[in-house]
Amino acid sequence: MKLIIAAIKPFKLEDVREALTTVGVTGMMVSEIKGFGAQSGHTEIYRGAEYAVNFLPKIKLEIVVNDDLAAEVVETIAKAAHTGKIGDGKIFTLDVSDAMRVRTGETGADAV
């Protein structure tokens, strides 16, 4: 199994969710996060005062899938989240050694 972690722009969440549903993803965890990368923030003016915005809002997706679906999920996220502008996000893939569905006690791939 693989854990896919993706940080994307907030307004792309629904596009990514719809695209993942079409490739067979049945669940994911979503968190609101803040961060910076290559764009490293920007300055804004509010009521005449300039201030730095160092951390930008992002959405973090966490998805566990079987090994055979992982590459397709990564590609689907990349296509759906793409705007062509800086700050589109990052995708990480990690190995998962085990999983358990708390309600039934199922483990491994059956728990996903």
Side-chain angles (χ1 to χ4, degrees):
M1 293 178 295
K2 300 289 185 191
L3 169 62
I4 300 167
I5 302 171
I8 63 171
K9 291 183 175 184
F11 69 89
K12 295 300 273 182
L13 175 60
E14 192 57 29
D15 293 343
V16 171
R17 188 199 61 78
E18 288 175 5
L20 288 173
T21 300
T22 64
V23 297
V25 172
T26 57
M28 72 178 83
M29 293 176 280
V30 179
S31 305
E32 293 181 6
I33 61 171
K34 291 182 180 187
F36 72 91
Q39 64 193 121
S40 68
H42 62 278
T43 59
E44 290 185 3
I45 297 175
Y46 179 71
R47 295 191 177 184
E50 187 174 316
Y51 65 98
V53 178
N54 294 320
F55 294 97
L56 301 171
K58 300 286 183 187
I59 295 293
K60 180 170 81 169
L61 307 175
E62 296 175 276
I63 306 160
V64 177
V65 295
N66 289 325
D67 290 339
D68 58 338
L69 189 58
E72 185 177 8
V73 168
V74 169
E75 184 178 321
T76 300
I77 294 169
K79 284 181 182 176
H82 183 265
T83 67
K85 297 180 181 164
I86 195 165
D88 273 354
K90 295 274 193 291
I91 303 171
F92 305 98
T93 304
L94 293 80
D95 289 324
V96 174
S97 61
D98 201 8
M100 175 186 255
R101 185 185 311 258
V102 174
R103 179 177 55 87
T104 63
E106 294 170 297
T107 60
D110 293 335
V112 177

